Amino acid sequence: MAAFSFSRIGRSMRGILLPTAAVIGFSCLLTYFFVLYQPTVGPGIAQRLGWQAWDAVATVDYFDKEPSTPIVIGDPDEAQPIPGNDDETDWWEITSNQPWDTTDDIESYPLDVWAPLLPHDTGLSEIAITRCMMPPSLVGDLCAPTTTVEQDAIKGNWVRVDRDLNKQAGLWTLNVYYRRTRRLDIPLVTDLRLLPANKVPEPLTDSWVKVELSIRDGIMRAEPMYLWYLPGKTMSEMNAEEKANLITEVDVLFGEDRPWYGFEKLEPPVTPEKEGQLESVYVTYRRGVQSVPRAHPLHFSRDGKFKILQVADLHFSVSRGVCRETDLDPCINSDNLTNTLLGHVLDEEKPDFVVFSGDQLNGQGTSWDPKSVLAKFAVAATDRKIPWAAIFGNHDEENGDVKQEQLRMMKTLPYSMVQRGPKDIHGVGNYVLNVKSADASMTSLLTLYFLDSGSYSSGYLDWLGYFFPTEYDWIHEDQINWFLKESSKIQPIERPFTPDTGKDFGSIWTRQADQITPTTRKLAKPNAIMFFHIPLEESYGAADRDVRTGQLLDIGLHDLEESGAAKKSDGMFDKGLKKALESGHVTSGGIPEVKVVANGHCHITEDCKRVKDIWLCFGGGGSYSGYGRVGFDRRFRIYEISDYGETIRTYKRTEKDEILNSYILAGPGAPLFNPRS
């Protein structure tokens, strides 16, 4: 009887569950086809005929252009090196490196795509906030504000600010939307306010508009806060000053640090900071077109000097940072302390160029919004108008945006000289920069190679889906071949270099030329320095000996931590560095073109070791946010190049302003190269 009852119950349950499962499955299928499924984009969709112009909206990637030659500002004829030019204008003053061509027509920038890195001058006509139960990455603009064809034609299409205000907490995603228009007869937004529910903007006579949904919607136990915007005059009614104060872009910042260049914070924070729990969230906005200052092409001084400061392993986070292994007391807000220290070092050293040698981002779950971190990592250099470049480390891509997107953002920061490099080889950011003479010949006197040494080559996923790396990546064969190809393009010069003594620079060149130590002249490529993050296995190999004194050529500390090199290799040292010679002449002695390899990665390893005539140097950790060792001062490595590129000296400056291990690596006074058999 019991068996009969259980059988009847089983049949009843099956009769209920099977139809229910069928309904749910069919509903999921319909949701996929009609909501989630995005058809293949065809030529017509790719063209996207503009809804406020007869021209097709441009689909150009404005930040994926690499300047093959310096972009001339003004009359191109004026930028040519003309010996005897009487106006005595330095050649680098009339050239500049731009992330986008100055001939780009701002009117061609897309209006219906959120692109905060572009210098839009087009105003906003309407703003809204929407909630969505599913992230836009899955459903796109399913939750966009309602609209009509007529409204789109007049005010512009709705554009989603692709930054979730509820990224850290909240019951659903929350996004700002806006419309952008080029029409001359539509009132444009001139101001923004964030106010509690019981307040209104002043003066009341202005036509403020309140966004319907609270900007804190979905945050538990949070008082409602509302976004107000002020539609002002139409474009045709505005004067130049009013146009320059238009709200032209909206973004979101996570954390208490400064917003992206050209943007301002809208106070108060959408989400206040809760130390150790939540980072603050701010709406940020830009007024008008904020031109990003660009770096001049790299060049030596007139007396033949050029100084590089290497900044290794900042390990910055969305928060203001947590201090690690330091005797500095008190030590709070380590990212800010590090930027203060770096600013002091820059003021003392006054370098011509700064290289961030990887791990600008901490990864490890704390740099989950890379854009907010990238907004602050280079400010010490950009505030001082110092050109800078960067390479990636193993932690930079652990959280958030991939390297391609990070590099796109870095290229649009002030004084950036970062380049994407080729897309058909391993890594992002394999590129070359040349440092030229200050005279009218613009001769390349120093070559700087930048390579991406990768992140991790292997690892495993835990039961929660988190990746745990087990081995570091390495420089791959296609990168080695790329380096050899780039090296082959470098033109030999007569060394030591003697500057042009044309009258355009007066008698200074005669005086400086007299200071060069007489030596045998040769035809060879200029000296080169190479930067990549993860060291080679050879950095831990046997050091050369000075043939004059017999002393080991290993200067600095190297036994405070284990090897940080990758376990695998494609032979960058032997197949790349040793093959690229400064001269192919049989009497050249096989001297390598690259005299120094500069690495980061190992924070308490800071030695320079010469192996088979190539110096392999570590930067040493300079950040309170990266791991260290109590008693081991934070430090930065400096490369001082003089004699028009012939001499390379290095030393380190510590947080206590001590100068350590000053040593000549190449040029007069450096250890002799190993004799060739």
Side-chain angles (χ1 to χ4, degrees), residues 242-298:
E242 290 169 331
K243 291 177 181 177
N245 282 304
L246 274 176
I247 304 293
T248 56
E249 192 56 86
V250 176
D251 202 345
V252 174
L253 170 73
F254 297 97
E256 281 293 332
D257 292 289
R258 68 172 68 183
W260 197 260
Y261 181 83
F263 282 76
E264 303 173 47
K265 288 181 181 179
L266 182 61
E267 299 281 359
V270 175
T271 303
E273 179 184 29
K274 294 182 180 179
E275 189 173 353
Q277 301 179 42
L278 289 175
E279 302 304 327
S280 54
V281 182
Y282 287 90
V283 171
T284 64
Y285 61 94
R286 184 178 65 212
R287 290 187 181 275
V289 177
Q290 301 292 329
S291 298
V292 179
R294 308 317 310 170
H296 294 304
L298 299 179

Side-chain angles (χ1 to χ4, degrees), residues 126-267:
E126 189 175 356
I127 300 175
I129 295 173
T130 68
R131 72 167 73 97
C132 201
M133 299 301 174
M134 300 184 72
S137 58
L138 292 179
V139 298
D141 287 318
L142 177 68
C143 301
T146 57
T147 188
T148 65
V149 175
E150 290 77 13
Q151 288 177 325
D152 289 347
I154 296 171
K155 294 184 176 182
N157 288 341
W158 283 113
V159 177
R160 183 179 73 250
V161 175
D162 203 10
R163 312 268 282 167
D164 182 8
L165 292 164
N166 288 352
K167 187 171 185 176
Q168 298 178 93
L171 303 177
W172 40 73
T173 63
L174 197 68
N175 289 93
V176 175
Y177 276 79
Y178 62 68
R179 298 181 192 264
R180 185 189 295 278
T181 181
R182 291 195 183 102
R183 287 184 58 141
L184 303 180
D185 58 343
I186 301 298
L188 300 177
V189 176
T190 58
D191 207 356
L192 300 172
R193 292 280 192 278
L194 270 180
L195 296 172
N198 59 348
K199 291 189 176 182
V200 296
E202 296 179 356
L204 295 176
T205 54
D206 291 338
S207 54
W208 287 92
V209 177
K210 179 183 179 181
V211 175
E212 182 178 348
L213 195 64
S214 167
I215 202 167
R216 292 177 175 172
D217 185 67
I219 303 294
M220 300 291 289
R221 296 182 295 277
E223 292 294 326
M225 183 78 68
Y226 289 90
L227 177 65
W228 295 73
Y229 63 92
L230 178 62
K233 298 178 180 179
T234 66
M235 183 65 80
S236 61
E237 298 169 335
M238 292 183 181
N239 58 36
E241 183 179 355
E242 290 169 331
K243 291 177 181 177
N245 282 304
L246 274 176
I247 304 293
T248 56
E249 192 56 86
V250 176
D251 202 345
V252 174
L253 170 73
F254 297 97
E256 281 293 332
D257 292 289
R258 68 172 68 183
W260 197 260
Y261 181 83
F263 282 76
E264 303 173 47
K265 288 181 181 179
L266 182 61
E267 299 281 359

